[in-house]
Amino acid sequence: MKGLVYGGPGQRAWKDIPDPEVRDPRDAIIRVDAVTICGTDLHILGGDVPTVERGRVLGHEAVGTVVETGSGVSGLAAGDRVLASCISACGICEYCRQGTYGQCLGGGGWILGHLVDGVQSEHARIPYADLSTYKLPERVSDEAAVLVADILPTAYEVGVLNGQVRPGDTVVVVGAGPIGLAAVVTARLFSPAHIVVVDKAESRLQAAKMFGADTTIVAGEQDVLETVREMTGGLGAHVVIEAVGIPATFELCTTLVRPGGRIANIGVHGKPATLHLEDLWIRDITLTTGLVDTFSTPRLLDMLIAGQFDLGHMITHRFGLEEFMHAYDVFADPAHSGALKVLLTRS
């Protein structure tokens, strides 16, 4: 079969690799039917995640069909259509028992496309399959379901819940990529008074308005700090969500938050950022970081099935699996700033 293989910073190839095999009784093998490229994959290719080894198959967001299960898998059978979560959970360790699956001590957590081969391939091995997949009803499309593999629970848990978005809040989201847009969608569940989105790309800001942003700010053309202060009576935002992952955007977030406010960092950071405690120590700021735990995935799927999320415009580019290299080019090229989520499916 073929898979998208990481060859070191800046190097990737769609090439022949061995078919996956059941290695543990709790494994399942899936045929990958739909898969996406994540901004985290670009961070890996940029050398920001040194724990990813050369030769690793990337990818952690997929919908697939079960073709084989290990003897320890009880809830799945060949032919089941499933969502493969970005987080794997052993279900036994101290963190899994608390629902903090992202910190699993039993060999789970974020492992797909990181510590074990991922799902950007024709078939994939899913460890701890009973706890790391979700059966999908026929009425939910692959295209809609795959957005619940990572971006929706990540934005919801690490951004909105960690940021404690409340009714009446002013929320600023810095970064209008897929994660930032998902933060806009899920923040709306808590009735904030105002959602502001900051990005450099006008096309992404237009998408932010489509998904529920009240105000957009073009970074580099408008004074972000002054604009936020003007709309908040000089106080700043109640909640600022960082959805980029570079020092400049993180440091911007710390200037936009009001005293007593909350900064929720979602972005994947590969370089140090300065935390200006000389300014912040007196301002009662709460700063959170996090890896998604996906405890919210079942509920988000239920809401998707019930039609409470309209995510149809999130997928902007569609390719066949054999076009993986071109799909990466489109997703990574700033000239294609309108590329939000790239979907690859079997021809």
Side-chain angles (χ1 to χ4, degrees), residues 24-324:
D24 182 275
R26 300 176 68 183
D27 288 349
I29 306 299
I30 65 168
R31 181 191 71 205
V32 176
D33 298 321
V35 63
T36 65
I37 301 170
C38 181
T40 301
D41 298 319
L42 299 186
H43 278 285
I44 292 171
L45 285 163
D48 293 341
V49 190
T51 46
V52 180
E53 299 177 346
R54 286 172 167 80
R56 178 70 63 228
V57 176
L58 297 183
H60 52 268
E61 307 167 274
V63 170
T65 302
V66 176
V67 296
E68 184 182 359
T69 59
S71 60
V73 176
S74 60
L76 298 174
D80 286 343
R81 179 168 164 264
V82 296
L83 172 70
S85 176
C86 65
I87 297 295
S88 303
C90 79
I92 299 171
C93 74
E94 179 178 355
Y95 285 110
C96 282
R97 287 176 179 269
Q98 298 171 5
T100 313
Y101 307 121
Q103 303 301 324
C104 174
L105 298 172
W110 173 40
I111 57 173
L112 290 175
H114 177 207
L115 304 179
V116 304
D117 285 342
V119 295
Q120 290 177 2
S121 54
E122 294 178 308
H123 290 80
R125 179 177 72 93
I126 308 298
Y128 306 117
D130 277 327
L131 295 177
S132 307
T133 64
Y134 301 87
K135 291 184 182 179
L136 295 172
E138 291 185 4
R139 63 183 179 276
V140 175
S141 69
D142 291 354
E143 187 166 305
V146 77
L147 298 175
V148 191
D150 180 4
I151 64 164
L152 211 60
T154 294
Y156 179 58
E157 295 176 21
V158 185
V160 174
L161 294 186
N162 279 2
Q164 300 177 34
V165 175
R166 299 166 183 162
D169 278 354
T170 295
V171 178
V172 176
V173 179
V174 177
I179 287 286
L181 296 178
V184 172
V185 170
T186 52
R188 278 285 172 212
L189 298 173
F190 294 87
S191 300
H194 213 90
I195 296 180
V196 182
V197 177
V198 181
D199 201 282
K200 291 182 177 181
E202 183 62 41
S203 58
R204 292 196 169 199
L205 293 175
Q206 290 299 321
K209 291 180 180 178
M210 186 184 307
F211 283 106
D214 301 295
T215 301
T216 57
I217 302 174
V218 183
E221 296 182 16
Q222 298 170 261
D223 188 322
V224 179
L225 177 58
E226 184 61 29
T227 303
V228 171
R229 283 181 173 171
E230 284 180 2
M231 68 177 57
T232 58
L235 294 177
H238 296 88
V239 182
V240 184
I241 296 174
E242 201 284 343
V244 181
I246 60 174
T249 52
F250 173 79
E251 292 167 27
L252 172 64
C253 289
T254 66
T255 70
L256 301 178
V257 67
R258 69 175 58 197
R262 302 169 297 281
I263 302 168
N265 183 87
I266 306 177
V268 177
H269 290 267
K271 296 179 176 62
T274 301
L275 181 62
H276 288 283
L277 285 176
E278 74 277 13
D279 298 324
L280 297 174
W281 72 271
I282 201 170
R283 299 181 65 205
D284 298 336
I285 301 301
T286 298
L287 169 64
T288 60
T289 66
L291 173 66
V292 65
D293 293 312
T294 65
F295 65 81
S296 67
T297 299
R299 178 163 294 186
L300 293 171
L301 273 173
D302 286 343
M303 296 174 73
L304 180 69
I305 292 167
Q308 295 185 36
F309 294 127
D310 181 8
L311 304 175
H313 298 289
M314 192 79 75
I315 304 289
T316 56
H317 292 69
R318 296 163 179 82
F319 302 92
L321 288 180
E322 69 281 0
E323 300 176 279
F324 235 117

Side-chain angles (χ1 to χ4, degrees), residues 320-331:
L321 288 180
E322 69 281 0
E323 300 176 279
F324 235 117
M325 293 294 283
H326 179 50
Y328 259 97
D329 291 339
V330 169
F331 189 59

